[in-house]
């Protein structure tokens, strides 16, 4: 699949205020700075579509994008940035939790994990909570270009092993780089498959 058209629809602080639509929505979550906004730009082929920054904590609202007039992306604020104030952290947590519970057209949450790191407790806890709450997820390892291939595979395997302690069957797991566009085709194909399944339902 190719994304031919990508429109920014706006930013919202509250899920209730977001436009209601039947269009399937894919959301992107993960620790601050993991590369959510960069991945959206890589997948859509539009560099400045989602705002990115070297400084964690850039995305602070629920940002909506419409793709090919057919489906939507939601770029979420990151979780777990240590330097954010407690109040701000709690606000983002509420924003994310509410979005995940209340957005009726959410069909898949992409949970991003930084491939440069071994499994992080905050990510494992978040992924396990998604499982408990039956939120449909897929995992995306990011920044694969920043370390060697062997280290990427070792870290990905360590994440898989950690999750298998609590998951019987793992969600799909893609390895990606927004720099080299690794993973783009596979992730877009996965999105396409979900859209096709929905259109036949
Ligand atoms: N080398 C490399 N850098 C990346 C990649 N993805 C993101 N980055 C860089 O990492 C930094 C953070 O990227 P963002 O896309 O803003 O991260 P985010 O997850 O949206 O962050 P918040 O909005 O703050 O939660 C930026 O400097 C990006 O250029 C990648 O795949 N490879
Ligand atoms: Mg962002």
């Amino acid at each position: 699949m190719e994304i031919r058209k990508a429109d920014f629809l706006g930013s919202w602080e509250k899920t209730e205020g977001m436009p209601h639509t039947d269009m399937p929505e894919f959301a992107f979550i993960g620790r601050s700075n993991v590369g959510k906004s960069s991945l959206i730009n890589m997948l859509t082929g539009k560099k400045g579509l989602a705002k990115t920054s070297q400084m964690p904590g850039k995305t602070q609202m629920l940002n909506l994008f419409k793709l090919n007039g057919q489906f939507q992306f939601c770029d979420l604020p990151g979780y777990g940035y240590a330097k954010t104030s407690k109040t701000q952290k709690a606000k983002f947590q509420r924003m994310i939790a509410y979005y995940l519970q209340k957005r009726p057209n959410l069909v898949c949450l992409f949970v991003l994990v930084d491939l440069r790191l071994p499994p992080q407790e905050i990510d494992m806890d978040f992924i396990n909570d998604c499982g408990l709450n039956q939120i449909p997820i897929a995992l995306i390892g990011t920044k694969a270009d920043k370390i060697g291939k062997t280290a990427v595979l070792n870290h990905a395997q360590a994440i898989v092993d950690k999750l298998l302690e609590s998951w019987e069957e793992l969600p799909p797991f893609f390895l990606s780089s927004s720099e080299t566009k690794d993973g783009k085709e596979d992730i877009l194909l996965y999105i396409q498959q979900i859209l096709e399944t929905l259109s036949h339902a």
Side-chain angles (χ1 to χ4, degrees), residues 140-153:
I140 300 182
T142 63
K143 306 192 181 183
D145 60 287
K146 284 216 161 188
I147 53 169
K149 272 217 169 91
T150 314
V152 164
L153 294 177

Side-chain angles (χ1 to χ4, degrees), residues 33 35-38 50-53 57-60 75-78:
N33 205 245
K36 301 173 290 293
S37 303
S38 303
K51 300 278 174 291
T52 66
S53 167
K58 177 70 180 171
T59 309
Q60 308 214 342
D75 189 13
L76 297 167

